[in-house]
Structure formats: C-alpha cells, structure tokens
Amino acid sequence: MAASSSRKARRHGGSHIAFLVVLAGCASAPLPVPAPVSLTTATPAQMVATVRAAGETSDTEVAVRPLRNPATADLRDLAADQQGRGALAEAAATLDRALEVTPDDPALLQERAEAALLLGDFAAAEAHARRAQAIGTQVGPLCRRHWTTVEQVRLVAGDGVGADAARARVAECRVERPARY
C-alpha cells in the first residue's frame, strides 16, 4: 500500500509540475504592444508642402538666412531637380553628398529632413530637423520648417503631446521686426 501511495504522489506531483510550467509560460508571455495610431492622414508629399508653407515669410518678420556654401550649390540644385522628377532616393543621396561637404549647414540639413519625409523615413526626418534646429537660428522661416517637420513626424507617430509641443515651438519662431521711425 505504501508503494501504491508513493506512485500516486509521484503521478499527481508530476502533473502539478507540468501545470505550473504551463502556467508560468502563460504568465511570462509579453503582452503585445499596440502599434501607434497615426494622427494624420497626410501623405509624405502633403507633409513636405506643409513644412515648406511654414517657411514662407512676411515683410514684417525677422528672417535669418544662413550663408550657403558655394561648393554645395550644384548638389542642392541637382537634388531639387531629382525630387522634381520623382527620383526621391537619388535626391536624398545627393543631399547626403552635400552634407559630407558642409555637415553643419542648417538649411541643408532641413532639405535632407524634407527628403527623408518624402521617402517616409520619419526617424531620419526628425533627426535631421532637430539637428538643424539645434545648430541653426532659433527664429525665422527656417526655424518654423524645423519644428513643423518635427510636428509632422510626431503626428505620424501618434504622439499628440509631442506634436502640440512642436507646434508651440513653431509659433515661437516668428519674430516681428521692430517698427522703423
């Protein structure tokens, strides 16, 4: 009888262990992370149009424009032509070549950010725009383009708070000229 109870205990003990192993497997399975829901229906081309429109100036605004390096002028023109023809990847590569010549040109970085937007490479678009903003002017049309790029990317990422913060920074970029006497 003792042998019979010992076998029962082992048999039931084994099933308890199997049950605990299955239960532990269920408990340790990671919960699926829901994909972010985009807060915009704009296409990449529409986003770039929004960014560029944010950079339009008025006669009463302070507009700081960085000096352009003549060594990159031809590459920038080529990239604009390539974008116009729909050769978006080639335009981005051309802008990358220009950035090898002048890596700290905020206007060039912004152009590259817009090329990344057109390609749907939102992480690169935000990185280029933030870098351009960090090293560039804190006012004027280019400043608004940087922050509008960040806003568009945050909308795509479903980050309403981040988009609102970027939109507030866009408004801070507008500085009116002092009245002349």
Side-chain angles (χ1 to χ4, degrees):
M1 183 155 265
S4 169
S5 347
S6 171
R7 269 187 258 134
K8 273 186 182 177
R10 271 187 267 142
R11 186 176 52 203
H12 289 298
S15 64
H16 290 296
I17 291 173
F19 174 74
L20 290 175
V21 168
V22 169
L23 184 61
C26 291
S28 65
L31 296 175
V33 177
V37 177
S38 178
L39 301 175
T40 183
T41 58
T43 66
Q46 291 168 329
M47 289 179 207
V48 170
T50 299
V51 168
R52 291 178 179 164
E56 294 175 2
T57 63
S58 70
D59 292 339
T60 62
E61 178 183 12
V62 172
V64 180
R65 289 178 176 66
L67 295 174
R68 291 189 173 223
N69 184 338
T72 61
D74 289 343
L75 290 171
R76 291 170 108 155
D77 291 343
L78 176 59
D81 181 59
Q82 289 168 324
Q83 277 184 8
R85 291 185 284 111
L88 303 179
E90 290 83 355
T94 300
L95 290 170
D96 286 339
R97 287 187 8 231
L99 282 168
E100 289 173 6
V101 177
T102 55
D104 294 330
D105 179 339
L108 184 55
L109 284 162
Q110 181 59 39
E111 290 171 30
R112 183 58 179 91
E114 292 166 17
L117 271 181
L118 288 170
L119 289 168
D121 186 353
F122 302 116
E126 184 171 10
H128 287 301
R130 285 189 182 271
R131 181 158 179 259
Q133 186 281 324
I135 63 176
T137 180
Q138 305 301 303
V139 297
L142 194 54
C143 175
R144 287 195 304 277
R145 285 172 59 193
H146 303 325
W147 285 114
T148 302
T149 301
V150 172
E151 175 194 20
Q152 294 300 305
V153 172
R154 296 291 83 220
L155 288 170
V156 168
D159 177 10
V161 172
D164 289 344
R167 193 174 307 111
R169 296 296 300 265
V170 169
E172 294 171 7
C173 293
R174 187 173 298 279
V175 176
E176 296 299 317
R177 288 185 197 165
R180 294 189 179 190
Y181 300 109

